[in-house]
Amino acid sequence: MSQTIEMIDPVTGEIIDQQQIAEQLLAQAKEQGVSLVGPGGLLGGLTRTVLETALEAEMTEHLGYEKHASSNGENARNGTRSKTVLTEVGAVEIDVPRDRDGSFQPKIVRKRQRRLDGIDEIVLSLTARGLTTGEVAAHFDDVYGASVSKDTISKITDKVIEEMTEWQHRPLDRVYPVVFIDAIVVKVRDGQVRNKPFYVAVGVTTAGERDILGIWAGDGGEGAKFWLGVLTEIKNRGVEDVCIVVCDGLKGLPESITTTWELAVVQTCIIHLIRNTFRFASRKYWDQIARDLRPVYTAPTEAAAKARFEEFAEKWCTMYPAIRKLWENAWTEFIPFLDYDVEIRRIICSTNAIESLNARYRRAVRARGHFPNDAAALKCLYLVTRSLDPTGRGRARWVTRWKPALNAFAITFEGRIN
C-alpha cells in the first residue's frame, strides 16, 4: 500500500492536511468550471506552479541570493524563457529562469529536456503491453493532448537495449533447485512473416525467488540443438548445478540438459503432456480425459502410476491409440517427480512459474501482430519482463509459496543447494 508523505507548514510547524487542501482545490475548480486534466486543467496548473517554484529555488541556490534581492556577484537573474514540457498530466508550459552568464544548469527540468522522466516510463509501460509506436503516439494525443512523434517513442524504447544486453549477460547464481524452460512462438517479418520460437528460461533461487535467466531468439524450429547452446550459455554465466529441469517432451532435449548438468533430473512438464494428450482426442472428451489422467500423475509410486495409466488406456486408448504412444515415449521423463516429497511434486507438477510469464509475453506479442525483426521482438519481451511485479508483492508471495518446497529440496538434494 502506498504511503502519503507528511508535509509540515514551515511557519506553524503543523502537519498540513493534504486531503483538505485537495478538496478545497477541487471545489474551487468546480466552481470556476476548470477541468481536472487536459489543457488549462487543475493538475496542469499545479504542475506548472510546482515546477516553476522548484526552478526558482534552484536558481536561488545557484546565484546565492533570493529573487528580487540585490545580486552579490557578477552573475544575476536575466528573466525567463518559455518552454513546453510533457508531463504525466499532459503538456505544460513553464517559465524557466535564466542567468546572465548562462551557467545555470537546472536539475528538475534539464536544458533541452522536453519530457519529464515519468513520461519515458509511461511509454515503456505501454510498449510492454504490446502497443505499437503509432498507438502510443495516439494515446498521448487522446489522453494528454500532446503530440509525440513515433520516432521519439522509438528512441525512448531503444534506451533499454543497452540495459537489456547487460541483463542478458549478467552473472547468475551458482545453483538453482529448479529451472523451467519453454519456448513461445512470435511472428517476425523475415522477408515474409513467419513463426519463430523465442526461448525462455526461468530459475527458482535457493531463496525461493523467481529469476528469469534470459530470452533468446531462435534460428528456426524449436530444437534440442539450439537449447544445448542456450543451456551452455547459462552454465557459462555461473550456473554450476541444477537439481531439476522442467521442460516439454522435445526429442533430444533430455540429452542436452544432462550434457550441460550431469546430475540434473529431467522432468517432463505435466501441463504440456496433458495438452498434447488433448491434441489426439475430441474436444468433447477433454474434461473426462483430464479427470481420468489425474490419478496417473498424483499416484504415490511409479508402479501405482503405471497401474492407473493402464486403467486409463483401457478406457481411452482403443479410441485414441496415439495417446498411449505419447505417454509411453514420455514415461522416462514423466516419472522422476513421483520419487519426491509432496511439496516438490506440487511445485514441478504445476508450471505456473513459467506459464503465467508466457501468458504475459503472448498477450504483448498478440497485440503487436508481428515484428519487423528479432531485435524488435526481443525488446518487447524484455519490456514485459522489466514491468513484472512493480510493487514487489508477487516476489513476497513467491518466497512464501516456495519455502516448504525448498526445505524438501534441501533434504532430497542434500549438499547441492546449501
Side-chain angles (χ1 to χ4, degrees):
M1 183 179 295
S2 61
Q3 295 182 338
T4 302
I5 299 174
E6 290 186 345
M7 300 174 66
I8 299 176
D9 190 310
V11 177
T12 65
E14 297 178 351
I15 296 175
I16 297 173
D17 189 339
Q18 297 179 56
Q19 180 70 29
Q20 183 181 356
I21 293 176
E23 290 175 354
Q24 291 174 351
L25 288 170
L26 286 171
Q28 185 176 354
K30 186 175 180 180
E31 182 180 338
Q32 297 175 1
V34 177
S35 62
L36 184 63
V37 295
L42 173 63
L43 292 181
L46 287 174
T47 302
R48 173 177 179 166
T49 301
V50 170
L51 291 177
E52 290 181 347
T53 302
L55 287 166
E56 282 293 345
E58 287 190 73
M59 178 61 83
T60 296
E61 183 178 357
H62 174 67
L63 296 176
Y65 72 94
E66 294 291 338
K67 189 176 183 180
H68 305 305
S70 298
S71 173
N72 54 9
E74 294 183 1
N75 198 11
R77 283 178 167 82
N78 188 30
T80 62
R81 59 181 177 83
S82 295
K83 176 178 180 178
T84 300
V85 292
L86 185 58
T87 74
E88 291 91 332
V89 297
V92 176
E93 185 175 340
I94 59 174
D95 290 331
V96 181
R98 298 185 301 182
D99 59 344
R100 286 178 182 171
D101 63 14
S103 60
F104 177 49
Q105 298 288 339
K107 296 183 179 63
I108 188 71
V109 181
R110 299 182 300 278
K111 286 185 176 180
R112 293 178 291 281
Q113 182 182 3
R114 294 293 177 180
R115 303 181 311 273
L116 295 191
D117 293 339
I119 293 298
D120 287 9
E121 288 303 319
I122 293 174
V123 170
L124 296 176
S125 177
L126 292 172
T127 306
R129 285 165 171 76
L131 272 66
T132 64
T133 54
E135 290 168 336
V136 174
H139 173 83
F140 276 94
D141 188 31
D142 293 342
V143 176
Y144 301 108
S147 176
V148 183
S149 70
K150 292 192 289 185
D151 184 56
T152 297
I153 292 168
S154 183
K155 288 179 180 177
I156 292 173
T157 58
D158 282 345
K159 289 180 180 179
V160 303
I161 292 178
E162 183 178 347
E163 175 188 316
M164 177 179 70
T165 302
E166 183 179 346
W167 172 80
Q168 186 76 7
H169 295 91
R170 74 196 187 282
L172 300 173
D173 290 356
R174 187 188 66 81
V175 60
Y176 288 87
V178 187
V179 169
F180 299 86
I181 61 176
D182 198 6
I184 65 169
V185 175
V186 179
K187 293 184 182 298
V188 177
R189 180 177 292 281
D190 184 9
Q192 62 181 10
V193 177
R194 64 189 183 98
N195 292 331
K196 290 194 68 173
F198 281 71
Y199 299 82
V200 183
V202 178
V204 178
T205 71
T206 55
E209 297 176 352
R210 180 174 67 177
D211 187 5
I212 301 171
L213 308 183
I215 309 168
W216 296 263
D219 56 3
E222 182 178 357
K225 183 178 179 181
F226 190 90
W227 267 123
L228 178 59
V230 168
L231 298 175
T232 301
E233 179 186 320
I234 292 173
K235 183 177 182 179
N236 291 339
R237 288 163 59 194
V239 182
E240 299 176 10
D241 190 18
V242 176
C243 298
I244 298 177
V245 179
V246 182
C247 58
D248 63 10
L250 183 66
K251 185 177 180 180
L253 186 51
E255 290 79 6
S256 296
I257 294 170
T258 53
T259 297
T260 309
W261 298 293
E262 185 178 352
L263 299 178
V265 175
V266 181
Q267 173 63 52
T268 291
C269 169
I270 305 303
I271 302 300
H272 275 96
L273 194 53
I274 293 173
R275 285 176 182 167
N276 290 335
T277 301
F278 291 158
R279 289 171 47 207
F280 299 110
S282 173
R283 190 179 187 89
K284 67 180 180 180
Y285 297 126
W286 285 6
D287 288 344
Q288 296 178 54
I289 289 175
R291 283 196 299 270
D292 292 342
L293 276 175
R294 184 172 176 78
V296 178
Y297 60 81
T298 57
T301 64
E302 180 187 350
K306 189 69 174 177
R308 301 293 80 76
F309 181 73
E310 288 304 323
E311 294 171 1
F312 171 87
E314 185 177 342
K315 179 176 180 180
W316 293 105
C317 292
T318 302
M319 186 186 309
Y320 303 115
I323 293 180
R324 176 186 283 276
K325 185 176 181 181
L326 172 70
W327 278 77
E328 287 178 348
N329 289 341
W331 195 259
T332 302
E333 284 75 43
F334 159 69
I335 59 174
F337 84 114
L338 297 174
D339 294 334
Y340 299 129
D341 184 278
V342 64
E343 296 295 345
I344 295 179
R345 284 195 191 198
R346 184 179 294 119
I347 290 299
I348 62 179
C349 181
S350 170
T351 55
N352 288 340
I354 198 165
E355 287 296 320
S356 59
L357 175 65
N358 281 347
R360 293 283 296 273
Y361 286 151
R362 290 190 183 100
R363 192 182 312 148
V365 299
R366 274 199 304 268
R368 286 290 298 267
H370 71 270
F371 295 86
N373 49 50
D374 290 352
L378 280 171
K379 184 169 70 171
C380 178
L381 294 174
Y382 175 68
L383 286 171
V384 174
T385 303
R386 76 191 294 275
S387 70
L388 297 171
D389 193 24
T391 64
R393 295 174 186 169
R395 178 182 177 183
R397 286 196 300 269
W398 258 84
V399 172
T400 301
R401 187 188 309 140
W402 271 87
K403 284 301 181 185
L406 289 172
N407 279 278
F409 269 99
I411 296 171
T412 304
F413 298 96
E414 187 177 1
R416 289 175 62 183
I417 66 172
N418 294 335

